C-alpha cells in the first residue's frame, strides 16, 4: 500500500477571510471540480497555481468558487494544468532524459535534480518524485551532462557520500512556505519545523513561544493522512541533519525570531485579562480636596489618641500581641533555592548571535559554576 505525501498543501499562505458557505468548497471537492487527484492538487497548491483561503475563526481551508472559475477559464484546461503538476519517478524520468536510471539517481543525489514530493512504498522506502517540466528544462540547460563522462566535481561529491535529495526537497518547501506568508510568527514556525525539539529549545528558550509556534505550524489541507509511521517519516525528513544546514537554519530562525518579537509578543496565559482594582484600593478611595481642613483638625485628635493607646499598651494585658503589618505594604517574595530571574519587563543582557546558535549550554554551565545555588554548599566544602 503506497502512502502519498500530502505535505505540499500547507495553508501558511492562505488568505484569511470570512468564507461564506455558498462561495467556497472543500479542497477535496475542488480537486474533483478541476479534475486533479489529491497529490496533483497538493502540488498545484504548493506551486501557487491554486489559492486557498481560511476562515478568520479557523477551520479547514477552502477554495473559492471564483478560483475554480479562474482555473477553468485558462487556455488548455484541464490538460495544461494537469501537465504542469505531472510528476515522474526515476525510471520514467530517465527515459525522458535519455539516460540510464542509475545515472538519473546520481544526478539527483549530487543535487542536480530537486524532488517535488515523495511517497512511501510497501517496504516503507522513500520514493522521490520530480516535476516532468523541470526535467525537460534540465535537459535543455545541461545537455553536456547527459552524454559522456561525468565531470570531476560530480564524481567527487558522490564519492564523498553526498545525497542532496532530502535537503533540496526541504529547502524548496521552506522557501515556498516563506514566500506565501508575511506574518512574522508564521515565518518563524516554518523555520522551527526544520529543527528537532532539543535544538529548537536551545534557540527558542521561551516555552510559551514554542507552544505558539506549534499552533502556527503548517498543516496539510487534506488533514493528517496515512499511518503513524508515515507521519514520523515525514517529520524526520523535515528536520535538517547536515552540520552546514543546521547552522544555516539556526541563524535564519534567530533572525526571524528577533523580528517577530519586535513586531509583537507571543500570546501568554492571562495576557488578555483586564486590570481590576484591588480590595485595598477599594477600601482607600482618593481623598476629597474639599475636606482638607477637616482632615487636618481630625489628624491632631487622632495623634493624641494614638499616643494614649501606646502608653496604655506598654502596661496593659495586650502588650504580648504582635502588631500586624500595614495593609498597604505587600509581603516580599520568598527567596528560592535557585538564581533569581529578572522580571519580564526588566532589561536583560543581549545574547550574541554565536552564543544563541551553539554556545548557550556552555555559557549557562559556566554561570552555574561561578555562582552555586543558594542552600547548597559548593563542591568540596
Amino acid at each position: 500500500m503506497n502512502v502519498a505525501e500530502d505535505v505540499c498543501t500547507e495553508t501558511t499562505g492562505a488568505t484569511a477571510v470570512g468564507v461564506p458557505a455558498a462561495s467556497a468548497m472543500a479542497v477535496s471537492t475542488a480537486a474533483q471540480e478541476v479534475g486533479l487527484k489529491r497529490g496533483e492538487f497538493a502540488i498545484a497548491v504548493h506551486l501557487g497555481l491554486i489559492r486557498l483561503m481560511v476562515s478568520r475563526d479557523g477551520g479547514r481551508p477552502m477554495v473559492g468558487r471564483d478560483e475554480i472559475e479562474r482555473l477553468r477559464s485558462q487556455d488548455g484546461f484541464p490538460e495544461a494544468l494537469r501537465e504542469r503538476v505531472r510528476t515522474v519517478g526515476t525510471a520514467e524520468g530517465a527515459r525522458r532524459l535519455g539516460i540510464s536510471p542509475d545515472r538519473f539517481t546520481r544526478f539527483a543525489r549530487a543535487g542536480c535534480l530537486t524532488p517535488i514530493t515523495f511517497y512511501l512504498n510497501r517496504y516503507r522506502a522513500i520514493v522521490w518524485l520530480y516535476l516532468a517540466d523541470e526535467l525537460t528544462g534540465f535537459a535543455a540547460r545541461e545537455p553536456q551532462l547527459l552524454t559522456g563522462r561525468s565531470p570531476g566535481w560530480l564524481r567527487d561529491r558522490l564519492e564523498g557520500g553526498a545525497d542532496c535529495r532530502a535537503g533540496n526537497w526541504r529547502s524548496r518547501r521552506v522557501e515556498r512556505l516563506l514566500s506565501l506568508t508575511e506574518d512574522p510568527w508564521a515565518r518563524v514556525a516554518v523555520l522551527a519545523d526544520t529543527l528537532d525539539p532539543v535544538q529548537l529549545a536551545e534557540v527558542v528558550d521561551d516555552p510559551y513561544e514554542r507552544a505558539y509556534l506549534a499552533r502556527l505550524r503548517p498543516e496539510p489541507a487534506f488533514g493528517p493522512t496515512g499511518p503513524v509511521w508515515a507521519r514520523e517519516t515525514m517529520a524526520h525528513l523535515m528536520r535538517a541533519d547536515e552540520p552546514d544546514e543546521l547552522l544555516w537554519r539556526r541563524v535564519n530562525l534567530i533572525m526571524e525570531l528577533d523580528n517577530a518579537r519586535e513586531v509583537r509578543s507571543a500570546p501568554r496565559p492571562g495576557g488578555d485579562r483586564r486590570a481590576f482594582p484591588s480590595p485595598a484600593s477599594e477600601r482607600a478611595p482618593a481623598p476629597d480636596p474639599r475636606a482638607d481642613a477637616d482632615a487636618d483638625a481630625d489628624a491632631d485628635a487622632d495623634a493624641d489618641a494614638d499616643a494614649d493607646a501606646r502608653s496604655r499598651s506598654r502596661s496593659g494585658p495586650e502588650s504580648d500581641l504582635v502588631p500586624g503589618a500595614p495593609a498597604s505594604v505587600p509581603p516580599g517574595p520568598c527567596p528560592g533555592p535557585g538564581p533569581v530571574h529578572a522580571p519580564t519587563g526588566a532589561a536583560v543582557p543581549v545574547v550574541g548571535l554565536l552564543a544563541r546558535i551553539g554556545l548557550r549550554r556552555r555559557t549557562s554551565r559556566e554561570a552555574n559554576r561561578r555562582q552555586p545555588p543558594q542552600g547548597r554548599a559548593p563542591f568540596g566544602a
Side-chain angles (χ1 to χ4, degrees):
M1 176 180 178
N2 294 343
V3 180
E5 179 255 340
D6 291 333
V7 74
C8 296
T9 59
E10 292 92 350
T11 60
T12 299
T15 305
V17 295
V19 185
S23 62
M25 64 185 70
V27 291
S28 57
T29 305
Q32 297 176 1
E33 290 287 336
V34 297
L36 296 179
K37 301 178 182 178
R38 288 171 61 99
E40 295 173 340
F41 188 89
I43 295 175
V45 173
H46 176 68
L47 296 177
L49 304 178
I50 300 178
R51 296 188 295 266
L52 302 182
M53 54 185 180
V54 294
S55 176
R56 291 189 179 93
D57 55 356
R60 289 292 181 189
M62 308 286 286
V63 180
R65 296 188 179 276
D66 55 347
E67 180 70 7
I68 300 299
E69 296 300 328
R70 184 187 66 85
L71 295 173
R72 288 177 174 175
S73 62
Q74 295 178 351
D75 296 338
F77 177 85
E79 288 77 12
L81 177 62
R82 191 178 296 113
E83 186 63 26
R84 295 180 66 179
V85 298
R86 183 182 178 187
T87 58
V88 296
T90 300
E92 186 175 352
R95 286 195 298 268
R96 278 178 168 264
L97 298 181
I99 58 179
S100 65
D102 180 69
R103 188 161 193 167
F104 184 94
T105 302
R106 289 167 59 88
F107 286 158
R109 291 174 62 92
C112 301
L113 305 174
T114 300
I116 185 64
T117 185
F118 68 89
Y119 70 89
L120 303 178
N121 60 16
R122 67 181 67 183
Y123 306 106
R124 303 185 182 183
I126 300 174
V127 180
W128 296 103
L129 300 177
Y130 307 83
L131 281 176
D133 281 351
E134 291 187 353
L135 297 183
T136 303
F138 172 76
R141 292 191 312 269
E142 305 291 343
Q144 68 280 1
L145 292 179
L146 304 180
T147 58
R149 184 178 176 84
S150 300
W153 61 266
L154 193 147
R155 295 195 304 269
D156 295 340
R157 185 176 299 180
L158 294 176
E159 290 174 359
D163 190 351
C164 303
R165 289 175 293 184
N168 286 348
W169 169 83
R170 187 164 46 243
S171 298
R172 181 176 196 163
R173 175 182 179 271
V174 169
E175 291 173 3
R176 179 57 187 170
L177 292 177
L178 291 178
S179 66
L180 289 176
T181 181
E182 295 180 357
D183 182 78
W185 283 102
R187 295 175 62 87
V188 176
V190 171
L191 294 173
D193 208 18
T194 62
L195 298 180
D196 59 59
V198 176
Q199 297 186 28
L200 180 61
E202 293 178 355
V203 179
V204 187
D205 54 359
D206 191 336
Y208 296 109
E209 290 181 345
R210 294 199 300 271
Y212 186 46
L213 295 178
R215 288 166 47 192
L216 296 178
R217 181 175 299 145
E219 294 292 339
F222 290 101
T225 57
V228 176
W229 54 265
R231 295 195 292 269
E232 292 177 350
T233 302
M234 171 64 201
H236 175 73
L237 286 176
M238 263 310 304
R239 293 167 183 168
D241 51 3
E242 295 293 335
D244 293 342
E245 185 183 1
L246 283 171
L247 178 62
W248 177 250
R249 297 301 179 194
R250 291 173 71 113
V251 170
N252 282 270
L253 177 59
I254 289 172
M255 293 188 296
E256 292 288 351
L257 180 62
D258 291 341
N259 178 60
R261 287 171 175 171
E262 292 179 359
V263 175
R264 70 175 187 273
S265 300
R268 294 175 177 271
D272 55 348
R273 295 179 181 175
R274 293 175 294 174
F276 294 97
S278 61
S281 63
E282 293 177 358
R283 291 194 301 265
D288 189 354
R290 294 174 297 180
D292 289 342
D294 297 338
D296 293 339
D298 295 337
D300 297 336
D302 294 340
D304 296 338
D306 293 340
D308 295 339
R310 284 194 296 270
S311 63
R312 289 194 301 267
S313 65
R314 294 190 185 96
S315 58
E318 297 178 354
S319 59
D320 294 334
L321 299 179
V322 179
S328 59
V329 180
C334 299
V340 179
H341 297 277
T344 304
V348 295
V350 179
V351 182
L353 180 60
L354 294 179
R356 295 175 66 185
I357 293 173
L359 302 180
R360 180 183 297 274
R361 286 184 173 179
R362 185 169 61 186
T363 304
S364 62
R365 286 198 299 266
E366 293 176 356
N368 293 334
R369 285 197 297 267
R370 288 195 298 267
Q371 182 179 0
Q374 300 177 7
R376 183 180 300 176
F379 180 76

